[in-house]
Amino acid sequence: MGSIPPDNVNAAARQMEDGSTPKELDAGALFVLKSRGSWLHCGYHLTTSIVAPALLSLPFALSLMGWSAGVLCLIVAAGVTFYSYNLLSLVLEHHAQLGQRQLRFRDMARDILGQGWGRFFVGPIQFGLCYGAVIACILLGGQSLKAIYLLSSPKGTMQLYQFVSIFGVLMLVLAQIPSFHSLRHINLVSLVLCLAYSACATSGSIYIGYSKNAPTKDYSINGSAQNRVFGSFNAISIIATTFGNGIVPEIQAYLQPTNEVLERKFADAKIDQFAIRNVVPRLIFRSLSVVIATTIAAMFPFFGDINAVIGAFGCIPLDFVLPMVFYNVTFKPSKHGLLFWANTLIATIFSALGVLGAISSIRQIGLDAKTYHLFANL
């Protein structure tokens, strides 16, 4: 989903009423990214976007790296993203004071780095990241439904792709909700469920760990040295997705950044959001978007691998590299100072990790493709 701080849209709307900069409020910003909620609502949205499907891949990531390296990577990723989000907030505030309200991440790239960066680099990366998250969410939903089904019917014959299709229908309905603000009540319920799930998972893990009938614990990393190296970079990409959903200025998860792109292209901002002229294209293109995502999820049911690709190509550039670049270009800290070189070093290291993670994730998908067939019943 995607959202922006309430004052951004309200200020932009006032600008439009005053007759200034109306072109900035295209249909995507006016209809999809509108926000009339409070910061409490923003808390719902941020929490439920961060507690996303990628979080469930952390055990897989730690199995590729081991406890020590895995926990260390989690701590580093948390620290770097906390730092990068603070830098983004400073950059947003600075441009807002200059009269440039940046409603989307690609708006920042356009204003700071130039038109081409926003249109041809940040825009496609973010679109791919968000659409990949939709695919992963549908696949996870299908896998969860199948797990529940097998608990009640151990000898059941339904295939994974059937459950993916069922969950895709639910997503098809949710996709029609006009804006992120319209989801505030659903996200409140999601927040409660996330907290309940976390409590149950923690309690269950502790109980099983201390149970007399607990399985033998084996934390060793299997595979050849080559596979371990590639697996480590794959794990870094997965961990990156865990911290990549709550990016400022818009919250990127569930469908809305994708919907915003479609709305901007096919809707007419000069007429009412619920006019037939806008409702019909919204229904068609949002439905088509979900149908395609559901088909891809059913065809390639490799959940961990999908998250690794998302992290390598999307989260690492947007969360671990560009915020530092934005800050250095905007504020131009002294090259003789620590801040400039710290930002440069972070951006350089994570750029390299992004490239290596991309190679590792594509390699792993290639290996899995040899093992599994399309529409595999995993």
Side-chain angles (χ1 to χ4, degrees), residues 1 118 152 164 168:
M1 312 284 178
S152 59
V164 170

Side-chain angles (χ1 to χ4, degrees), residues 273-290:
Q273 180 181 7
F274 299 103
I276 296 297
R277 161 65 181 81
N278 286 333
V279 169
V280 173
R282 181 184 307 130
L283 179 64
I284 293 174
F285 289 107
R286 289 192 182 190
S287 300
L288 183 62
S289 172
V290 175

Side-chain angles (χ1 to χ4, degrees), residues 3-11 33-39 42 92 101-103 248-251:
S3 182
I4 51 179
D7 57 334
N8 279 26
V9 169
N10 293 338
L33 297 184
K34 68 178 179 181
S35 179
R36 298 172 182 169
S38 66
W39 287 107
C42 184
L92 280 170
R101 294 275 181 174
Q102 296 163 334
L103 307 183
V248 197
E250 56 202 323
I251 303 169

Side-chain angles (χ1 to χ4, degrees), residues 5 79 82 92 101 114 119 131 153 176-177 186 202 225 271 276 280-281 300 324 359 364 371:
F82 179 81
L92 280 170
R101 294 275 181 174
R119 177 176 297 179
Y131 200 67
S153 303
Q176 308 309 323
I177 296 178
I186 295 177
T202 302
I271 61 177
I276 296 297
V280 173
F300 305 101
M324 290 68 181
I359 295 172
Q364 188 60 46
T371 305

Side-chain angles (χ1 to χ4, degrees), residues 87-371:
L87 292 186
L88 280 179
S89 298
L90 293 173
V91 173
L92 280 170
E93 183 179 1
H94 174 77
H95 284 276
Q97 292 174 350
L98 297 177
Q100 292 179 320
R101 294 275 181 174
Q102 296 163 334
L103 307 183
R104 292 163 286 217
F105 199 85
R106 64 178 181 273
D107 293 342
M108 299 183 71
R110 178 199 63 206
D111 294 341
I112 297 171
L113 301 180
Q115 185 72 32
W117 284 92
R119 177 176 297 179
F120 301 111
F121 182 73
V122 173
I125 284 180
Q126 191 180 27
F127 181 82
L129 167 61
C130 294
Y131 200 67
V134 174
I135 295 171
C137 182
I138 294 174
L139 177 55
L140 176 61
Q143 290 175 331
S144 301
L145 289 177
K146 181 188 174 185
I148 296 171
Y149 168 74
L150 291 178
L151 286 175
S152 59
S153 303
K155 296 182 180 180
T157 58
M158 289 185 68
Q159 303 288 300
L160 176 60
Y161 74 87
Q162 294 173 294
F163 293 103
V164 170
S165 300
I166 292 171
F167 195 83
V169 172
L170 174 62
M171 291 292 288
L172 192 66
V173 175
L174 292 177
Q176 308 309 323
I177 296 178
S179 67
F180 197 72
H181 181 63
S182 306
L183 288 167
R184 61 194 182 281
H185 302 301
I186 295 177
N187 278 344
L188 175 59
V189 175
S190 299
L191 172 58
V192 175
L193 293 176
C194 288
L195 294 175
Y197 166 81
S198 299
C200 291
T202 302
S203 302
S205 299
I206 294 173
Y207 175 78
I208 294 174
Y210 285 98
S211 173
K212 295 180 180 179
N213 300 321
T216 304
K217 300 178 182 65
D218 182 11
Y219 300 123
S220 61
I221 304 176
N222 299 320
S224 64
Q226 182 185 35
N227 287 337
R228 290 182 184 183
V229 172
F230 280 109
S232 296
F233 291 121
N234 218 26
I236 291 173
S237 299
I238 293 172
I239 291 173
T241 64
T242 307
F243 295 92
N245 284 314
I247 198 167
V248 197
E250 56 202 323
I251 303 169
Q252 56 184 31
Y254 301 89
L255 282 166
Q256 295 300 55
T258 303
N259 293 342
E260 183 271 326
V261 172
L262 295 173
E263 205 94 342
R264 184 182 189 187
K265 187 171 184 63
F266 298 107
D268 187 352
K270 298 179 182 178
I271 61 177
D272 185 72
Q273 180 181 7
F274 299 103
I276 296 297
R277 161 65 181 81
N278 286 333
V279 169
V280 173
R282 181 184 307 130
L283 179 64
I284 293 174
F285 289 107
R286 289 192 182 190
S287 300
L288 183 62
S289 172
V290 175
V291 168
I292 294 173
T294 302
T295 304
I296 295 174
M299 289 177 64
F300 305 101
F302 316 125
F303 180 63
D305 297 345
I306 290 176
N307 276 330
V309 172
I310 291 173
F313 285 97
C315 291
I316 288 180
L318 296 183
D319 292 83
F320 297 86
V321 177
L322 283 177
M324 290 68 181
V325 175
F326 287 166
Y327 185 91
N328 280 0
V329 174
T330 299
F331 293 103
K332 297 179 174 59
S334 172
K335 293 183 179 179
H336 300 289
L338 177 63
L339 185 59
F340 173 85
W341 290 109
N343 289 343
T344 302
L345 182 63
I346 292 173
T348 302
I349 290 174
F350 280 94
S351 294
L353 289 176
V355 172
L356 294 172
I359 295 172
S360 300
S361 59
I362 293 174
R363 172 183 177 271
Q364 188 60 46
I365 287 182
L367 293 175
D368 285 341
K370 295 178 181 178
T371 305

